[in-house]
Amino acid sequence: MVGGRVGEGSASDRGVLDGVDLVVVGAGLYGLTVAQQAAERARARVLVIDVRGHIGGNAYSSMDERTGAEIHRYGAHLFHTSNPRVWDYVNRFTSFTRYTHRVYTTHRGEVYPLPINLGTINQFFHAHYTPRQAKELIAGQAGELAGSDPSNLNDKGVSLIGRPLYEAFIKNYTAKQWDTDPADLPAGIIKRLPVRFDYDNRYFKDTWEGLPVDGYTAWMRRMAADPLIRVQLDTDFFDASQPVNRDAVVGRVPVVYTGPVDRYFDYALGDLKWRTVDFDEVRYPEADHYGCPVMNFADPDTPYTRAIEFKNFNPERRSSQNPGETVVWRESSRAAGRGDEPYYPVNTAADRALYHRYAAKAGEEPGVVFGGRLGTYAYYDMHQVINSALVAYDKRIHPMLTRTDGQ
């Protein structure tokens, strides 16, 4: 049981929408935020469906019994925000640890801190530059690209951080991430490459940061705990053999759809391109293998982009973890097919143009709101997903649920 009226499996073939005011497709952060707001603010009876067998979308986590580590099943999820509304909202359902995210990268057998900061620069150049000297160095190493606005990722990277640092830490990592020469990738993929001219190696600079004290899944369950919310798992919105399907639902009750926008329209205009992520699990007979939660691998001869050691996200749980074993997931990226989990939108000019055509069709769907990263072909951090759901509820969904004109 997830919430007050939560069940798994198929709904009854008869009267499936009886007493349902809103159908939410997708039990991830966007869908659960909308469902919670609809139940609380409009006293709407909400049916949430998900094709997976769990709630939480890509933020779903579960405990590894052998090590006591909380496994982020779809890759590392770190919560951070500077948005007061989002921070106040999420603290209604969970408290957060004092975790501060720091990332390290291995390059030619040596470990460096990321994002690139004064420590990275001085270690890389075996120097002791002051902030002023480091700024002058980086500007000089950008050469003729300094201050320019290149259209490809390779030149954009050089213009921002200089050629030596870019080629050491960004170029090959990015080539592995996208399986493409960075010279052939659009500059927009890296809108900014932060270089800090001090020794601050915090990955995020938001006002608030942390991990949910008792895990992501417990947080999501509390969001769905209102008795007006019913969650139905293992339910494919496009399976006409079960009653909660697109053709049977759309037009009968308002729908919030958080799946792939091209799938909603049966790929009628073509497939939007995504990257997906594969994980290779490795276990080590030791308490701690990397000494940090995330280790990047910047060199081309390492096939994976990074390794995630889950124990290190929760040092406060050490007493309940197995000191004799640790679990690591090594992450690599490839092009996503229709049967894969889409993670990162490729976002070439052609893909953006195709998405805008789908968005135009989405705007004409009666009583359907498209949201989330899949529904809007965008990459969002968790706080951005929640904020977009709160805004969409305010502006579009609440008015649909509280109309008094009889339509």
Side-chain angles (χ1 to χ4, degrees):
M1 295 287 287
V2 177
R5 297 192 297 150
V6 174
E8 299 185 16
S10 296
S12 168
D13 287 341
R14 303 178 68 179
V16 65
L17 295 180
D18 289 350
V20 173
D21 301 308
L22 174 68
V23 171
V24 175
V25 182
L29 270 174
Y30 190 100
L32 291 178
T33 300
V34 167
Q36 188 279 325
Q37 289 284 281
E40 178 179 84
R41 295 172 56 187
R43 303 313 296 158
R45 296 159 296 181
V46 185
L47 173 62
V48 181
I49 67 169
D50 200 296
V51 70
R52 295 170 173 171
H54 61 75
I55 65 168
N58 280 13
Y60 171 72
S61 66
S62 63
M63 297 303 294
D64 180 65
E65 293 183 1
R66 288 168 54 179
T67 63
E70 181 185 347
I71 306 294
H72 303 186
R73 291 290 169 182
Y74 300 89
H77 278 69
L78 300 314
F79 189 81
H80 55 97
T81 187
S82 294
N83 185 323
R85 184 184 186 190
V86 170
W87 182 244
D88 290 343
Y89 180 73
V90 298
N91 273 272
R92 294 177 55 189
F93 309 103
T94 183
S95 55
F96 289 85
T97 68
R98 298 176 64 85
Y99 175 81
T100 300
H101 193 46
R102 291 181 169 85
V103 173
Y104 296 85
T105 188
T106 299
H107 169 61
R108 294 184 178 177
E110 191 169 350
V111 174
Y112 297 83
L114 289 180
I116 294 169
N117 59 73
L118 193 56
T120 317
I121 295 168
N122 279 328
Q123 182 181 349
F124 184 78
F125 292 108
H126 304 287
H128 50 87
Y129 295 117
T130 65
R132 179 184 59 80
Q133 292 170 329
K135 290 177 185 177
E136 293 172 351
L137 174 74
I138 298 303
Q141 290 176 341
E144 72 281 2
L145 293 172
S148 64
D149 187 23
S151 60
N152 72 76
L153 187 151
N154 191 81
D155 291 351
K156 182 70 170 180
V158 173
S159 73
L160 291 171
I161 63 173
R163 190 173 300 278
L165 291 171
Y166 166 76
E167 292 186 345
F169 300 118
I170 307 299
K171 180 178 181 178
N172 294 310
Y173 182 93
T174 303
K176 290 189 292 183
Q177 180 79 5
W178 296 95
D179 193 26
T180 303
D181 187 323
D184 296 325
L185 290 170
I189 289 178
I190 50 168
K191 295 180 180 178
R192 62 188 184 279
L193 281 175
V195 178
R196 298 176 185 161
F197 296 101
D198 57 24
Y199 291 95
D200 181 5
N201 70 331
R202 293 175 299 156
Y203 198 78
F204 305 118
K205 302 209 73 172
D206 282 300
T207 305
W208 300 287
E209 178 179 0
L211 297 173
V213 167
D214 47 2
Y216 280 102
T217 299
W219 168 11
M220 306 303 158
R221 284 175 174 158
R222 293 189 190 105
M223 292 182 72
D226 193 301
L228 292 173
I229 299 172
R230 177 159 55 94
V231 177
Q232 184 174 301
L233 305 175
D234 299 306
T235 302
D236 185 349
F237 189 55
F238 302 102
D239 178 5
S241 69
Q242 63 84 24
V244 194
N245 67 76
R246 177 191 56 191
D247 295 335
V249 171
V250 172
R252 293 184 60 190
V253 295
V255 173
V256 174
Y257 175 78
T258 69
V261 61
D262 52 355
R263 175 68 184 92
Y264 182 93
F265 294 104
D266 297 320
Y267 307 103
L269 304 177
D271 291 38
L272 290 167
K273 295 183 180 63
W274 294 80
R275 300 292 292 176
T276 192
V277 174
D278 293 325
F279 299 102
D280 175 33
E281 181 177 286
V282 183
R283 292 176 181 268
Y284 298 96
E286 53 190 311
D288 190 355
H289 186 71
Y290 285 111
C292 63
V294 178
M295 178 66 73
N296 287 2
F297 294 90
D299 300 329
D301 54 352
T302 303
Y304 40 91
T305 53
R306 64 179 182 173
I308 305 167
E309 188 164 7
F310 295 100
K311 271 187 175 181
N312 291 324
F313 286 129
N314 298 102
E316 76 281 358
R317 299 178 186 169
R318 284 296 187 196
S319 62
S320 62
Q321 294 173 342
N322 177 8
E325 183 175 321
T326 189
V327 58
V328 170
W329 280 17
R330 299 189 304 205
E331 181 178 312
S332 56
S333 172
R334 60 178 173 82
R338 288 188 181 180
D340 294 315
E341 178 62 39
Y343 278 75
Y344 306 105
V346 175
N347 261 336
T348 62
D351 284 302
R352 294 305 301 169
L354 178 58
Y355 167 68
H356 287 307
R357 293 174 64 198
Y358 274 121
K361 289 176 68 67
E364 297 173 354
E365 279 296 281
V368 181
V369 174
F370 291 73
R373 61 187 182 88
L374 302 182
T376 59
Y377 195 60
Y379 181 76
Y380 292 123
D381 287 331
M382 286 185 287
H383 67 288
Q384 295 169 321
V385 171
I386 294 168
N387 183 64
S388 64
L390 291 171
V391 171
Y393 182 82
D394 291 342
K395 294 184 176 180
R396 301 187 60 193
I397 301 164
H398 189 74
M400 286 196 300
L401 298 175
T402 55
R403 290 176 69 169
T404 59
D405 56 7
Q407 299 182 23

